């Protein structure tokens, strides 16, 4: 029986770089975007330098581009793959780095497949037992599961449970299209619809398409996808800060101090820093942080590594540098690019 208090990732097989022990992968839907130049991929995390003819991937870069029926007119950055509608894939020259997207009907037919990776797109309402069984016997299939229903979370959760009950190990990519009048609502729905699924160990990837007032925004979709994964602690791609809300006990200007620490450390990868206003409750509130910067008296700071005190009551003036030194000692420091 599953322990409800412990994190369990749904067991999945590895298909290409998706599923099993791989971090959840980020897909972007570029099927409606006009992509004609390499520079057009900047919004989804890939920077092209024409002088050196080289691509640079950022910490938050899409790994799979869903291009629909319009493949990229140039070679995709290395380490990425294009997902093409099945008919387009069939006639494309590169049938290895490009992979096909099947609808359910096509997938259940005897249509030719990719040797390594086949993406099957399915609305949750059409996920039948037959389909789950077919997927179970296919070591190349990845399910791109979508739902237009308002009850996105519960529908997805039910589908994941059905697959779990059948001991199916096909990786699942959640597809979600979110349109809302304001950015706040988009962020809220992305968090409530998807966050819980990843926290509960479901999901081997995410294809999020978000927009406000009718305009889809690829850069926002990408950023939000990585933020959902980071908040669910399933893929850390940037520094994370935990700060207390502040109260009468707070011993320093929390906003100013947080911005100062952020300005020195926001380029680090996967480091969690707690910034707490007092030593009475601070250490408890930052229980899962890697490092803690905690007010312990007027103009005094105590620094933590996890829950262990490393430097007690040091002057505020040198405390940020001392925090950086601790991170360096742990070999978790990198210089800013
Ligand atoms: S950590 Fe201390 S200062 Fe911050 S909110 Fe809690 S009690 Fe207040």
């Amino acid at each position: 029986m599953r322990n409800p208090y412990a994190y369990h990732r749904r067991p999945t097989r590895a298909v290409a770089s998706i599923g099993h022990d791989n971090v959840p992968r980020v897909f972007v839907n570029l099927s409606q975007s006009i992509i004609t130049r390499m520079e057009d991929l900047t919004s989804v995390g890939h920077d092209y330098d024409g002088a050196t003819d080289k691509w640079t991937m950022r910490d938050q870069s899409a790994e799979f581009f869903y291009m629909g029926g319009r493949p990229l007119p140039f070679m995709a950055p290395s380490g990425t793959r294009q997902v093409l509608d099945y008919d387009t894939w069939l006639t494309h020259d590169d049938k290895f780095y490009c992979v096909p997207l099947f609808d359910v009907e096509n997938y259940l037919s005897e249509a030719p497949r990719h040797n390594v990776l086949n993406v099957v797109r399915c609305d949750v309402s059409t996920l039948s037992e037959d389909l789950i069984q077919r997927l179970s016997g296919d070591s190349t299939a990845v399910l791109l599961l979508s739902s237009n229903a308002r009850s996105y979370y519960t529908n997805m959760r039910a589908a994941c449970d059905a697959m779990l009950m059948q001991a199916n190990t096909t990786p699942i990519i959640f597809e979600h299209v979110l349109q809302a009048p304001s950015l706040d609502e988009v962020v809220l729905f992305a968090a409530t619809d998807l966050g819980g699924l990843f926290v509960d160990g479901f999901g081997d990837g995410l294809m999020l398409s978000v927009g406000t007032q009718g305009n889809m925004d690829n850069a926002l979709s990408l950023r939000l996808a990585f933020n959902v994964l980071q908040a669910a602690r399933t893929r850390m791609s940037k520094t994370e800060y935990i700060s207390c809300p502040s109260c009468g006990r707070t011993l320093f200007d929390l906003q100013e101090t947080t911005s100062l620490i952020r300005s020195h450390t926001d380029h680090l990868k996967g480091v969690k820093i707690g910034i707490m206003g007092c030593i009475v409750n601070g250490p408890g509130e930052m229980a899962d942080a890697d490092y803690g910067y905690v007010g312990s008296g007027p103009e005094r700071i105590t620094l933590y590594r996890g829950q262990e005190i490393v430097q007690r009551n040091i002057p505020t003036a040198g405390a940020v540098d001392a925090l950086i030194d601790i991170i360096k000692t742990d070999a978790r420091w990198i210089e800013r690019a």
Side-chain angles (χ1 to χ4, degrees), residues 12-80:
T12 53
R13 58 164 73 104
V15 182
S17 59
I18 305 170
H20 193 52
D21 288 340
N22 293 295
V23 292
R25 297 300 178 191
V26 174
F27 287 56
V28 283
N29 185 345
L30 300 179
S31 62
Q32 304 302 317
S33 303
I34 308 294
I35 308 285
T36 54
R37 305 165 313 139
M38 289 155 159
E39 289 76 7
D40 293 332
L41 293 185
T42 301
S43 64
V44 290
H46 295 271
D47 301 314
Y48 178 70
D49 179 2
T52 57
D53 190 24
K54 284 208 165 91
W55 290 97
T56 307
M57 247 175 133
R58 291 185 232 137
D59 294 332
Q60 297 191 343
S61 301
E63 292 141 329
F64 292 84
F65 308 122
Y66 170 50
M67 301 306 303
R70 292 188 296 184
L72 290 173
F74 47 83
M75 192 183 279
S78 61
T80 66

XYZ file of all heavy atoms in Angstrom, residues 12-80:
536
model
N 7.514 4.309 -14.452
C 7.356 4.342 -15.910
C 8.629 3.808 -16.555
O 9.699 3.844 -15.953
C 7.097 5.775 -16.432
O 8.117 6.648 -15.953
C 5.747 6.298 -15.984
N 8.492 3.335 -17.773
C 9.668 2.882 -18.523
C 10.325 4.098 -19.180
O 9.653 5.118 -19.399
C 9.265 1.863 -19.588
C 8.239 2.379 -20.567
C 8.156 1.496 -21.808
N 7.512 0.234 -21.587
C 6.263 -0.059 -21.970
N 5.529 0.846 -22.577
N 5.754 -1.245 -21.749
N 11.620 3.975 -19.446
C 12.309 5.068 -20.150
C 12.080 4.897 -21.647
O 12.325 3.822 -22.197
C 13.798 5.040 -19.837
N 11.583 5.938 -22.280
C 11.418 5.943 -23.737
C 12.220 7.140 -24.235
O 11.896 8.286 -23.916
C 9.940 6.084 -24.137
C 9.809 6.032 -25.656
C 9.091 5.002 -23.487
N 13.277 6.867 -25.004
C 14.251 7.914 -25.359
C 14.677 8.574 -24.028
O 15.064 7.881 -23.101
C 13.675 8.891 -26.364
N 14.532 9.874 -23.897
C 14.968 10.504 -22.636
C 13.776 10.829 -21.736
O 13.876 11.666 -20.846
C 15.717 11.802 -22.963
O 14.843 12.669 -23.677
N 12.660 10.154 -21.952
C 11.433 10.483 -21.217
C 11.076 9.339 -20.278
O 11.143 8.166 -20.643
C 10.263 10.714 -22.203
C 10.639 11.780 -23.241
C 8.996 11.116 -21.467
C 9.650 11.890 -24.394
N 10.636 9.685 -19.076
C 10.138 8.675 -18.140
C 11.228 8.047 -17.303
O 12.403 8.391 -17.374
N 10.831 7.125 -16.434
C 11.692 6.413 -15.486
C 12.432 7.426 -14.600
O 11.790 8.210 -13.931
C 12.648 5.482 -16.242
C 13.337 4.500 -15.333
N 12.654 3.706 -14.452
C 14.655 4.222 -15.151
C 13.518 2.965 -13.761
N 14.739 3.262 -14.170
N 13.784 7.412 -14.618
C 14.528 8.311 -13.731
C 14.777 9.692 -14.335
O 15.400 10.536 -13.689
C 15.892 7.695 -13.383
C 15.732 6.527 -12.434
O 14.677 6.448 -11.769
O 16.655 5.701 -12.349
N 14.368 9.914 -15.557
C 14.615 11.215 -16.179
C 13.747 12.290 -15.522
O 12.620 12.020 -15.108
C 14.274 11.159 -17.674
C 15.230 10.259 -18.431
O 16.420 10.550 -18.514
N 14.730 9.151 -18.951
N 14.277 13.506 -15.468
C 13.455 14.605 -14.976
C 12.294 14.809 -15.947
O 12.406 14.444 -17.124
C 14.265 15.926 -14.867
C 15.295 15.838 -13.775
C 14.888 16.301 -16.208
N 11.170 15.353 -15.474
C 10.070 15.613 -16.409
C 10.536 16.506 -17.552
O 11.241 17.497 -17.335
C 9.033 16.337 -15.530
C 9.348 15.915 -14.138
C 10.838 15.737 -14.087
N 10.162 16.149 -18.753
C 10.603 16.875 -19.942
C 9.618 17.983 -20.291
O 8.419 17.861 -20.034
C 10.735 15.917 -21.130
C 11.794 14.843 -20.907
C 13.146 15.471 -20.690
N 14.189 14.491 -20.425
C 15.399 14.803 -19.999
N 15.712 16.064 -19.747
N 16.294 13.874 -19.784
N 10.150 19.025 -20.906
C 9.298 20.167 -21.262
C 9.132 20.229 -22.785
O 10.105 20.322 -23.529
C 9.880 21.481 -20.699
C 9.081 22.675 -21.203
C 9.869 21.434 -19.168
N 7.871 20.113 -23.202
C 7.495 20.250 -24.607
C 6.919 21.659 -24.789
O 6.300 22.199 -23.871
C 6.382 19.253 -24.966
C 6.811 17.814 -25.072
C 7.452 17.160 -24.022
C 6.535 17.079 -26.215
C 7.822 15.820 -24.118
C 6.892 15.742 -26.330
C 7.539 15.111 -25.277
N 7.099 22.227 -25.993
C 6.384 23.470 -26.312
C 5.601 23.257 -27.600
O 6.063 22.549 -28.502
C 7.310 24.703 -26.481
C 7.763 25.243 -25.156
C 8.472 24.415 -27.402
N 4.446 23.862 -27.631
C 3.596 23.750 -28.805
C 3.845 24.953 -29.720
O 3.392 26.058 -29.447
C 2.120 23.705 -28.372
C 1.207 23.459 -29.547
O 1.606 23.596 -30.704
N -0.024 23.096 -29.256
N 4.604 24.718 -30.799
C 4.916 25.796 -31.739
C 4.124 25.629 -33.034
O 4.444 26.246 -34.051
C 6.425 25.811 -32.051
C 7.354 26.030 -30.851
C 8.814 25.998 -31.298
C 7.054 27.358 -30.169
N 3.106 24.780 -32.997
C 2.381 24.458 -34.237
C 1.640 25.673 -34.792
O 1.342 25.708 -35.982
C 1.406 23.304 -34.001
O 0.435 23.678 -33.047
N 1.336 26.657 -33.936
C 0.618 27.841 -34.428
C 1.548 29.045 -34.552
O 1.097 30.152 -34.811
C -0.522 28.208 -33.446
C -1.512 27.094 -33.168
C -2.184 26.598 -34.439
O -2.576 27.413 -35.281
N -2.278 25.280 -34.597
N 2.836 28.854 -34.288
C 3.764 29.986 -34.317
C 4.469 30.050 -35.672
O 4.682 29.013 -36.310
C 4.832 29.839 -33.224
O 4.216 29.727 -31.969
N 4.837 31.259 -36.069
C 5.591 31.415 -37.316
C 7.074 31.311 -36.959
O 7.635 32.188 -36.307
C 5.331 32.800 -37.959
C 3.833 33.061 -38.091
C 6.056 32.918 -39.303
C 3.113 32.152 -39.044
N 7.697 30.214 -37.349
C 9.124 30.017 -37.058
C 9.849 29.943 -38.404
O 9.722 28.960 -39.133
C 9.365 28.700 -36.278
C 8.475 28.616 -35.031
C 10.840 28.532 -35.922
C 8.879 29.459 -33.882
N 10.590 30.982 -38.731
C 11.305 30.978 -40.014
C 12.819 31.088 -39.832
O 13.588 30.674 -40.683
C 10.836 32.152 -40.895
O 10.983 33.353 -40.146
C 9.389 31.980 -41.311
N 13.221 31.694 -38.665
C 14.655 31.913 -38.453
C 15.083 31.224 -37.165
O 14.257 31.021 -36.267
C 14.950 33.405 -38.308
C 14.461 34.270 -39.461
C 14.461 35.729 -39.060
N 13.840 35.910 -37.762
C 14.297 36.731 -36.814
N 15.376 37.446 -37.002
N 13.675 36.831 -35.656
N 16.357 30.922 -37.063
C 16.850 30.279 -35.840
C 16.573 31.156 -34.618
O 16.278 30.648 -33.538
C 18.337 30.003 -35.966
C 18.592 28.866 -36.960
S 20.196 28.979 -37.669
C 20.481 27.334 -38.221
N 16.651 32.466 -34.812
C 16.429 33.390 -33.691
C 15.010 33.266 -33.131
O 14.743 33.675 -32.001
C 16.678 34.842 -34.133
C 18.140 35.184 -34.391
C 18.684 34.626 -35.710
O 17.885 34.083 -36.509
O 19.897 34.729 -35.928
N 14.106 32.689 -33.898
C 12.729 32.562 -33.419
C 12.604 31.566 -32.267
O 11.557 31.493 -31.620
C 11.792 32.141 -34.570
C 11.667 33.237 -35.616
O 11.825 34.421 -35.250
O 11.426 32.914 -36.794
N 13.659 30.782 -32.040
C 13.593 29.835 -30.920
C 14.091 30.439 -29.603
O 14.105 29.764 -28.579
C 14.404 28.566 -31.239
C 13.843 27.688 -32.374
C 14.664 26.410 -32.496
C 12.376 27.344 -32.139
N 14.496 31.715 -29.644
C 14.959 32.367 -28.409
C 13.875 32.335 -27.336
O 14.150 32.114 -26.164
C 15.342 33.840 -28.711
O 16.357 33.822 -29.698
C 15.854 34.553 -27.477
N 12.633 32.519 -27.755
C 11.543 32.584 -26.772
C 11.336 31.257 -26.049
O 10.696 31.220 -25.005
C 10.242 33.007 -27.443
O 9.852 32.023 -28.381
N 11.855 30.163 -26.600
C 11.676 28.881 -25.922
C 13.020 28.331 -25.418
O 13.222 27.131 -25.269
C 10.944 27.848 -26.817
C 9.498 28.269 -26.993
C 11.626 27.672 -28.168
N 13.957 29.273 -25.179
C 15.154 28.915 -24.422
C 16.375 28.517 -25.233
O 17.343 28.011 -24.662
N 16.366 28.729 -26.549
C 17.522 28.354 -27.368
C 18.055 29.591 -28.083
O 17.338 30.197 -28.881
C 17.131 27.278 -28.389
C 16.728 25.999 -27.735
N 17.627 24.998 -27.434
C 15.533 25.581 -27.274
C 16.999 24.003 -26.832
N 15.723 24.330 -26.721
N 19.306 29.937 -27.783
C 19.906 31.149 -28.354
C 20.879 30.763 -29.464
O 21.788 29.951 -29.236
C 20.652 31.924 -27.257
C 19.702 32.316 -26.141
O 18.600 32.809 -26.451
O 20.048 32.111 -24.956
N 20.675 31.362 -30.621
C 21.549 31.047 -31.756
C 22.521 32.203 -31.991
O 22.121 33.361 -32.030
C 20.717 30.817 -33.016
C 21.577 30.535 -34.221
C 22.274 29.331 -34.321
C 21.715 31.479 -35.237
C 23.086 29.072 -35.415
C 22.524 31.222 -36.331
C 23.210 30.022 -36.408
O 24.018 29.760 -37.493
N 23.814 31.839 -32.124
C 24.831 32.842 -32.416
C 25.292 32.623 -33.859
O 25.967 31.621 -34.153
C 25.997 32.670 -31.428
C 27.110 33.679 -31.703
O 26.933 34.513 -32.617
O 28.138 33.627 -31.017
N 24.899 33.555 -34.733
C 25.215 33.418 -36.154
C 26.712 33.448 -36.426
O 27.193 32.773 -37.328
N 27.476 34.220 -35.617
C 28.916 34.364 -35.861
C 29.629 33.024 -35.698
O 30.531 32.686 -36.470
C 29.497 35.399 -34.905
N 29.229 32.267 -34.690
C 29.906 30.980 -34.442
C 29.070 29.803 -34.949
O 29.514 28.656 -34.883
C 30.141 30.787 -32.929
O 28.869 30.875 -32.269
C 31.078 31.835 -32.363
N 27.875 30.088 -35.420
C 26.949 29.042 -35.866
C 26.708 28.011 -34.750
O 26.745 26.805 -34.969
C 27.513 28.356 -37.123
C 26.471 27.445 -37.756
O 25.268 27.663 -37.546
O 26.876 26.476 -38.446
N 26.494 28.543 -33.533
C 26.312 27.633 -32.390
C 25.033 27.981 -31.631
O 24.629 29.136 -31.546
C 27.493 27.771 -31.424
C 28.745 27.084 -31.917
C 29.608 26.645 -30.737
C 30.658 25.665 -31.185
N 31.914 26.247 -31.570
N 24.442 26.940 -31.065
C 23.280 27.113 -30.199
C 23.719 27.078 -28.750
O 24.625 26.319 -28.390
C 22.287 25.969 -30.391
C 21.573 25.947 -31.688
C 21.904 25.215 -32.795
C 20.387 26.674 -32.027
N 21.000 25.445 -33.796
C 20.050 26.333 -33.355
C 19.574 27.576 -31.339
C 18.937 26.860 -33.998
C 18.470 28.102 -31.984
C 18.160 27.743 -33.296
N 23.075 27.873 -27.919
C 23.269 27.756 -26.467
C 21.918 27.458 -25.837
O 20.933 28.139 -26.120
C 23.802 29.080 -25.875
O 24.950 29.465 -26.611
C 24.166 28.915 -24.413
N 21.928 26.411 -24.992
C 20.713 26.048 -24.271
C 20.739 26.726 -22.924
O 21.783 26.756 -22.274
C 20.707 24.537 -24.030
C 19.648 23.790 -24.754
S 19.861 22.035 -24.491
C 18.185 21.592 -24.097
N 19.639 27.247 -22.471
C 19.603 27.825 -21.118
C 19.168 26.770 -20.103
O 18.870 25.636 -20.478
C 18.622 28.997 -21.098
C 19.137 30.169 -21.897
C 18.216 31.363 -21.770
N 17.875 31.853 -23.099
C 16.656 32.227 -23.474
N 15.660 32.184 -22.624
N 16.433 32.663 -24.689
N 19.129 27.166 -18.831
C 18.673 26.210 -17.810
C 17.199 25.877 -18.001
O 16.728 24.835 -17.576
C 18.873 26.786 -16.399
C 20.348 26.946 -16.098
O 21.137 26.187 -16.674
O 20.696 27.846 -15.317
N 16.476 26.806 -18.603
C 15.063 26.558 -18.872
C 14.853 26.597 -20.383
O 14.529 27.636 -20.955
C 14.188 27.596 -18.171
C 14.318 27.546 -16.652
C 13.271 28.382 -15.931
O 12.646 29.246 -16.522
N 13.088 28.118 -14.654
N 15.117 25.479 -21.027
C 14.955 25.379 -22.483
C 14.019 24.228 -22.802
O 14.108 23.158 -22.185
C 16.296 25.082 -23.163
O 17.222 26.082 -22.886
N 13.169 24.441 -23.797
C 12.292 23.350 -24.229
C 13.129 22.248 -24.875
O 14.116 22.526 -25.551
C 11.283 23.886 -25.234
N 12.714 21.009 -24.646
C 13.468 19.875 -25.197
C 12.776 19.240 -26.391
O 13.404 18.563 -27.194
C 13.660 18.837 -24.088
C 14.595 19.370 -23.019
C 14.178 19.007 -21.617
O 12.963 18.882 -21.374
O 15.060 18.856 -20.774
N 11.468 19.432 -26.474
C 10.689 18.890 -27.587
C 9.835 20.013 -28.159
O 9.162 20.729 -27.411
C 9.784 17.739 -27.109
C 10.559 16.515 -26.703
C 11.096 16.396 -25.426
C 10.764 15.478 -27.610
C 11.819 15.279 -25.052
C 11.491 14.350 -27.239
C 12.021 14.252 -25.961
N 9.894 20.169 -29.488
C 9.079 21.180 -30.153
C 7.960 20.460 -30.897
O 8.244 19.689 -31.826
C 9.894 21.953 -31.196
C 11.188 22.524 -30.662
C 12.398 22.176 -31.232
C 11.200 23.413 -29.593
C 13.594 22.693 -30.758
C 12.392 23.942 -29.110
C 13.592 23.572 -29.687
N 6.729 20.706 -30.505
C 5.618 20.171 -31.296
C 5.352 21.158 -32.427
O 4.933 22.285 -32.183
C 4.371 19.956 -30.433
C 3.153 19.647 -31.279
C 3.215 18.646 -32.259
C 1.967 20.359 -31.146
C 2.133 18.384 -33.085
C 0.880 20.098 -31.968
C 0.974 19.107 -32.933
O -0.093 18.857 -33.764
N 5.626 20.726 -33.669
C 5.548 21.631 -34.819
C 4.300 21.394 -35.662
O 4.101 22.073 -36.674
C 6.790 21.450 -35.713
C 8.122 21.717 -35.040
S 8.252 23.336 -34.240
C 7.904 24.452 -35.563
N 3.460 20.410 -35.303
C 2.262 20.139 -36.097
C 2.632 19.720 -37.500
O 3.428 18.802 -37.707
N 2.090 20.441 -38.490
C 2.349 20.098 -39.892
C 3.406 20.982 -40.529
O 3.580 20.969 -41.748
N 4.110 21.789 -39.692
C 5.116 22.713 -40.259
C 6.464 22.504 -39.582
O 6.778 23.161 -38.586
C 4.658 24.157 -40.038
C 3.421 24.474 -40.863
C 3.094 25.923 -40.801
N 2.742 26.330 -39.440
C 2.336 27.536 -39.114
N 2.266 28.466 -40.030
N 2.012 27.817 -37.879
N 7.276 21.590 -40.115
C 8.586 21.328 -39.489
C 9.457 22.581 -39.511
O 9.248 23.473 -40.336
C 9.204 20.247 -40.386
C 8.098 19.722 -41.220
C 7.043 20.777 -41.304
N 10.433 22.623 -38.627
C 11.379 23.740 -38.618
C 12.081 23.800 -39.971
O 12.482 22.749 -40.508
C 12.448 23.538 -37.533
C 12.006 23.657 -36.075
C 13.151 23.249 -35.139
C 11.547 25.076 -35.758
N 12.284 25.013 -40.524
C 12.975 25.106 -41.814
C 14.493 25.064 -41.657
O 15.221 25.487 -42.562
C 12.499 26.468 -42.347
C 12.151 27.261 -41.137
C 11.735 26.292 -40.068
N 14.988 24.637 -40.512
C 16.433 24.506 -40.270
C 16.614 23.348 -39.292
O 15.630 22.825 -38.745
C 17.022 25.806 -39.688
C 16.211 26.379 -38.545
C 16.370 25.905 -37.253
C 15.277 27.388 -38.775
C 15.621 26.422 -36.213
C 14.521 27.912 -37.736
C 14.687 27.429 -36.446
N 17.872 22.959 -39.094
C 18.129 21.828 -38.195
C 17.879 22.252 -36.740
O 18.328 23.327 -36.320
C 19.572 21.357 -38.360
C 19.818 20.011 -37.691
S 21.523 19.538 -37.828
C 21.535 18.891 -39.461
N 17.160 21.447 -36.004
C 16.837 21.790 -34.615
C 18.111 21.759 -33.766
O 19.062 21.034 -34.098
C 15.832 20.798 -34.059
N 18.171 22.530 -32.668
C 19.352 22.492 -31.790
C 19.616 21.064 -31.310
O 18.672 20.303 -31.096
C 18.943 23.388 -30.605
C 17.816 24.225 -31.112
C 17.130 23.449 -32.172
N 20.910 20.741 -31.116
C 21.192 19.372 -30.676
C 20.607 19.162 -29.279
O 20.521 20.080 -28.477
C 22.687 19.096 -30.690
O 23.311 19.969 -29.807
N 20.191 17.945 -29.041
C 19.572 17.627 -27.750
C 18.069 17.850 -27.761
O 17.402 17.562 -26.768
N 17.534 18.373 -28.869
C 16.086 18.572 -28.932
C 15.507 17.688 -30.037
O 16.250 17.167 -30.873
C 15.732 20.034 -29.270
O 16.171 20.326 -30.607
C 16.392 21.001 -28.297
